[in-house]
Amino acid sequence: MSGFSISRRGLLAGVSAAGASAALSACGAKTGDSSSTDDSGAKADTSGSTVKVGLLNSLSGTMAISEVTVHNSLLLAIKEINAAGGVLGKKLKAISQDGASDWPTFAEKAEALITDGKVAATFGCWTSASRKAVKPVFERHKSPLFYPVQYEGLEQSPYIFYIGATTNQQIVPALEYLKKRGLVKLYLVGSDYVFPRTANKIIRAYAKANGMQVMGEDYAPLGSTEFGTIVNKVKDSGADAVFNTLNGDSNVAFFKEYKSSGMTAKSMPVLSVSIAEEEVKSIGTQYLQDQLTAWNYYQTTPGAANTKFVAAYQAAYGKDKPTSDPMEAAYISVYLWKEMVEKAGSFDVAKIKAADGIELEAPEGKVTVDGATQHVYKTARIGKVGADGLITEVWNSGKPIKPDPYLKGYSWASGLS
C-alpha cells in the first residue's frame, strides 16, 4: 500500500463481537458470496471481480470549493488500492454522485448509491447538514458511510465511521491554545446550520468555565457574500480574536471584508476550523496570511507517509495542487475500510465492526480506530497561514487524542448533549 504502513490491534474493550453483530445486521458479503443482506438491509453486490463503492460529494454549488478535492483524494486512494490488488482480491469501482451542496439531494443520492448502485460502502459528505440528511438513509439500509470531515460531535451512529476530528480533537484544543495566549475575548462568526451553531454552543460552555468571554455571535447563510454588517460588529466588539466556523465560499467574502475594514491577524486574529490549504488558495493568500487554523493535518506535516501522499496527489492532479486535512482524512478512510474488510475476511458491516481496532501510520501521523465510538484517535494541530499559501504548524497536542464525541470527560460540557 502506498503512503503509510498498517498494523492492527483490538480496541473493543467491553464490546463483544456478538454484541456488535447483534447491533448491526449486515449488508455486504464474504468473498465468493453473491450478495448479503438481512430482511431490512440493502444488498451490496460483491459477487463479481469488482466491488462498487460510493463517492458522495458536492461537485457543484457553494461547497464545491472544498469538496471537489476530497472527491479527488478518494479517487486517488481507490486507484492505489486497485494497483496493489484491490480488496479481498476484488478491484474497486467508484460510483460518484453530486450532492450539489443541497441536503435533500445528498439524501436522494445516498439512496441511489445503496439501492441502485448496490455499493459496499460510501465515502463522503462535508457539512454536518449533509451528514444529518443522509444518516437515516444509511441506518435504514444498514450500509456504512465513512465521513472525512471534522464536526461538532454529540453524535454516534452504528453505520457511520467518523474519520475527521470530533470536538475534543479540534475545537477544544483551539480554545485552549487561544486561552494560553491571552486571547480570551472571542467573537463567533459562522454559517447558519448545525455545525457552527452546535460548535458555538460548546464554545460558550467552555468560555464560561474557563474565564473567557463571548463578545458577540453572528451567522450568515451558506453561500452568503454580504459581510459588511457582521465585520463592523466584530471590529467594534472589543474582541481579542474571532472564532470562525464559516463554511464554503462565504469565507471569500468574509476575509475580503475583514481586510477592507483595516483589521489584521495582528490586531484581531481569526482562528478558522473549516479553512484548509485548498480554501487558502481559493480565497487568496493576501487575505489570510498569518491567520490561524485548527486541524489534524497540514500539507507541511513532517513524515515519510505525508511526503508520499503529497507527491502522489500532485502527480495525479498537478504539482501546484495543495493537500488538506479533509482530503487526507478522505484518503485514509478508504484504506481504513479496506483493512477492516480484509481483517474480517468479509464485506459484511457487522463483521467489519467486530474486526476493528485498525492503526495507520497515516500522512497526519498515527491514527487508531476507537471501536466504542467509531471515531479515530487524532493529533490536534494549530497552524498559521504563510505567504506561500501553505499552513505551518505552530502547536500540536504531542500525541493522538482519544475521541470523546459527547465530551463526557469535561465537566463544563455536562448537559450539552
Side-chain angles (χ1 to χ4, degrees):
M1 182 178 79
S2 151
F4 46 79
S5 60
I6 298 171
S7 62
R8 304 180 177 111
R9 64 184 175 88
L11 283 175
L12 279 177
V15 182
S16 69
S21 296
L24 287 173
S25 298
C27 72
K30 294 181 181 179
T31 309
D33 289 353
S34 60
S35 62
S36 178
T37 185
D38 65 4
D39 291 340
S40 58
K43 292 183 178 179
D45 184 4
T46 61
S47 59
S49 59
T50 62
V51 171
K52 289 183 285 187
V53 293
L55 309 188
L56 183 55
N57 311 104
S58 291
L59 305 180
S60 60
T62 189
M63 291 306 303
I65 185 177
S66 300
E67 294 191 55
V68 168
T69 54
V70 168
H71 182 262
N72 290 344
S73 295
L74 292 166
L75 291 174
L76 175 63
I78 290 167
K79 180 180 178 181
E80 290 178 352
I81 288 169
N82 283 340
V87 179
L88 293 181
K90 298 174 184 286
K91 296 297 178 70
L92 304 180
K93 180 179 179 181
I95 307 297
S96 296
Q97 291 282 8
D98 181 9
S101 306
D102 177 71
W103 323 141
T105 299
F106 266 90
E108 174 189 330
K109 299 298 186 180
E111 184 82 26
L113 285 169
I114 297 167
T115 58
D116 298 334
K118 301 187 185 303
V119 297
T122 300
F123 303 86
C125 295
W126 179 293
T127 66
S128 288
S130 65
R131 190 192 69 255
K132 296 284 189 184
V134 305
K135 180 173 175 280
V137 178
F138 287 96
E139 291 177 343
R140 182 170 67 254
H141 291 297
K142 302 185 177 181
S143 184
L145 169 68
F146 284 72
Y147 178 64
V149 185
Q150 49 80 8
Y151 82 115
E152 71 283 356
L154 307 182
E155 179 182 297
Q156 282 181 231
S157 169
Y159 298 97
I160 300 178
F161 290 86
Y162 303 81
I163 311 304
T166 188
T167 316
N168 75 306
Q169 299 167 317
Q170 186 197 34
I171 290 177
V172 173
L175 290 168
E176 291 172 349
Y177 177 85
L178 294 174
K179 179 186 174 184
K180 287 178 181 177
R181 279 145 190 83
L183 303 173
V184 297
K185 296 180 180 179
L186 306 181
Y187 202 105
L188 312 181
V189 177
S191 297
D192 194 6
Y193 74 101
V194 61
F195 164 62
R197 287 193 174 273
T198 305
N200 287 342
K201 181 172 70 171
I202 292 167
I203 290 169
R204 282 186 172 276
Y206 177 94
K208 183 178 180 180
N210 286 275
M212 300 179 81
Q213 187 176 355
V214 174
M215 309 301 290
E217 182 174 350
D218 275 296
Y219 298 91
L222 271 170
S224 176
T225 59
E226 297 296 329
F227 283 92
T229 300
I230 289 177
V231 167
N232 285 335
K233 289 169 71 176
V234 170
K235 187 175 182 179
D236 295 338
S237 68
D240 298 324
V242 177
F243 204 107
N244 173 29
T245 53
L246 291 170
N247 261 271
D249 52 15
S250 290
N251 278 296
V252 178
F254 172 75
F255 277 99
K256 286 183 177 179
E257 191 70 40
Y258 171 95
K259 184 174 182 180
S260 295
S261 76
M263 288 188 288
T264 66
K266 185 175 181 180
S267 66
M268 190 187 295
V270 180
L271 190 150
S272 301
V273 292
S274 293
I275 291 178
E277 288 84 346
E278 182 64 25
E279 289 79 18
V280 171
K281 182 178 179 181
S282 299
I283 294 167
T285 305
Q286 68 271 31
Y287 299 107
L288 289 170
Q289 186 174 346
D290 295 329
Q291 298 290 11
L292 299 170
T293 64
W295 290 105
N296 307 99
Y297 164 89
Y298 299 112
Q299 181 175 320
T300 57
T301 297
N306 189 37
T307 299
K308 291 179 182 178
F309 169 56
V310 173
Y313 187 86
Q314 293 182 340
Y317 297 106
K319 63 182 181 180
D320 62 335
K321 299 297 184 183
T323 58
S324 70
D325 182 292
M327 292 165 63
E328 188 264 357
Y331 176 78
I332 68 170
S333 72
V334 188
Y335 279 104
L336 285 167
W337 172 74
K338 171 185 182 291
E339 292 304 311
M340 291 176 188
V341 168
E342 293 194 336
K343 185 175 181 183
S346 172
F347 293 97
D348 185 296
V349 181
K351 292 178 180 176
I352 69 169
K353 269 188 62 67
D356 79 335
I358 304 298
E359 287 184 351
L360 300 181
E361 289 298 333
E364 68 182 84
K366 186 170 77 170
V367 299
T368 306
V369 176
D370 175 36
T373 64
Q374 294 189 176
H375 291 63
V376 298
Y377 286 67
K378 298 174 78 73
T379 300
R381 303 179 191 275
I382 305 298
K384 181 181 287 189
V385 179
D388 57 359
L390 296 179
I391 303 173
T392 302
E393 181 181 299
V394 295
W395 175 89
N396 71 63
S397 58
K399 64 180 181 179
I401 300 171
K402 181 179 180 178
D404 185 2
Y406 286 94
L407 297 170
K408 294 177 181 178
Y410 302 87
S411 59
W412 53 263
S414 62
L416 284 174
S417 58

